[in-house]
Amino acid sequence: MVFLVGTSGWQYRDWRERFYPAKLPQRLWLEHFATRFATVEVNNAFYRLPERETFAAWRARTPADFCVAVKMSRYLTHVKRLREPAEPVARFLGRATALGDRLGPVLVQLPPNLPADADALDATLRLFPAEVRVAVEPRHPSWWTDEVRRVLERRRAALVWADRLGRPVTPLWRTTDFGYLRLHEGRARPWPRYGRTALASWVRRLGKAFDDAEPAYVYFNNDPGGAAVIDAAAFAGLARRAGHPVSRVTP
């Protein structure tokens, strides 16, 4: 399998002097990030969907091998709660597709208080074109059913594997031909770092679930203090030592 390893965002002020040079202007942080990593997950699109021109600018500012996973706007997931999905999905795609070949998976993170609705999920996923990968992160336990799994498989959407405190908080279902892992908070010190044992466990789980040519997107969301950057590098090193190809990772 091929690991594409990155972080959930790049615009964190406390990364200055930890990851970004002290005198580097913030307007150049994306360019610097893209020399060190080959993928990033954009979370701010969840709170405020950027204009198409912003997505186009990100494409222009990054190298040809760079990949941007984009979190779906909360208007669909948290305001509409998957009801009447056609307009929110069309608006999102009308903007995010300006990334062109830089567009990676679309992350659809559901509210923790949204119980399972397999029909609503199916109606949402069918609106995405076949060439757009979609990863779904439910957070209410009622979603862990065979019916939901069948919807994900039929629509070729990945179930997001999520970790908190070094343990899975989701079933480890393989529902399509790519993986998507989000690491939210580790148990190591200093907080919220991950220990090597936890990281190695995720390398093994993904390695068992996916074939050599299938990608696994791995994003560290434990950004305080630059923990995400450090842990992404540690994860990449463990994956390489296990014999897996890994995207560019240089902390």
Side-chain angles (χ1 to χ4, degrees):
M1 74 178 320
V2 180
F3 283 100
L4 293 95
V5 182
T7 62
S8 298
W10 75 87
Q11 301 182 66
Y12 301 107
R13 292 182 179 178
D14 62 344
W15 287 16
R16 187 186 292 277
E17 297 188 63
R18 289 186 171 97
F19 179 69
Y20 296 113
K23 295 183 179 181
L24 183 71
Q26 191 168 354
R27 69 178 184 276
L28 298 178
W29 281 9
L30 177 58
E31 287 83 347
H32 179 87
F33 184 94
T35 68
R36 305 299 186 90
F37 290 92
T39 188
V40 71
E41 180 187 83
V42 173
N43 277 320
N44 63 3
F46 171 78
Y47 299 100
R48 183 172 181 173
L49 183 63
E51 297 295 329
R52 184 174 175 84
E53 292 76 14
T54 299
F55 287 108
W58 291 343
R59 183 183 189 280
R61 294 168 57 192
T62 54
D65 67 346
F66 197 72
C67 169
V68 182
V70 185
K71 191 173 181 179
M72 170 61 69
S73 169
R74 64 178 175 176
Y75 180 67
L76 170 67
T77 56
H78 289 57
V79 177
K80 301 294 287 185
R81 296 170 71 84
L82 299 184
R83 298 186 300 270
E84 301 174 329
E87 190 279 332
V89 171
R91 177 153 44 93
F92 178 90
L93 291 172
R95 300 186 187 186
T97 52
L99 281 163
D101 57 4
R102 309 288 198 279
L103 179 61
V106 174
L107 169 64
V108 179
Q109 186 190 62
L110 303 179
N113 63 354
L114 180 64
D117 187 334
D119 290 339
L121 179 63
D122 186 65
T124 298
L125 293 178
R126 69 179 177 82
L127 296 171
F128 288 89
E131 65 271 18
V132 175
R133 287 174 166 156
V134 182
V136 182
E137 185 177 13
R139 291 185 292 168
H140 189 282
S142 62
W143 288 92
W144 315 136
T145 67
D146 290 341
E147 182 183 13
V148 170
R149 184 172 186 171
R150 286 193 295 270
V151 168
L152 294 171
E153 291 172 343
R154 181 167 63 251
R155 298 300 177 187
R156 299 182 63 80
L159 174 71
V160 171
W161 293 6
D163 172 289
R164 194 169 294 279
L165 298 176
R167 295 189 176 90
V169 295
T170 56
L172 302 183
W173 296 343
R174 175 197 159 107
T175 56
T176 189
D177 58 356
F178 72 96
Y180 199 107
L181 170 64
R182 305 186 81 216
L183 297 111
H184 294 289
E185 178 186 3
R187 296 172 58 90
R189 294 291 179 267
W191 177 88
R193 290 276 306 279
Y194 278 88
R196 295 178 69 84
T197 299
L199 296 178
S201 295
W202 282 113
V203 171
R204 287 194 298 271
R205 290 176 183 127
L206 288 164
K208 289 180 180 178
F210 297 93
D211 296 335
D212 289 345
E214 294 174 327
Y217 300 84
V218 179
Y219 296 107
F220 285 84
N221 194 30
N222 58 331
D223 56 86
V229 172
I230 297 167
D231 289 343
F235 180 93
L238 291 168
R240 289 190 185 103
R241 283 192 283 278
H244 301 293
V246 182
S247 63
R248 178 173 61 257
V249 178
T250 309

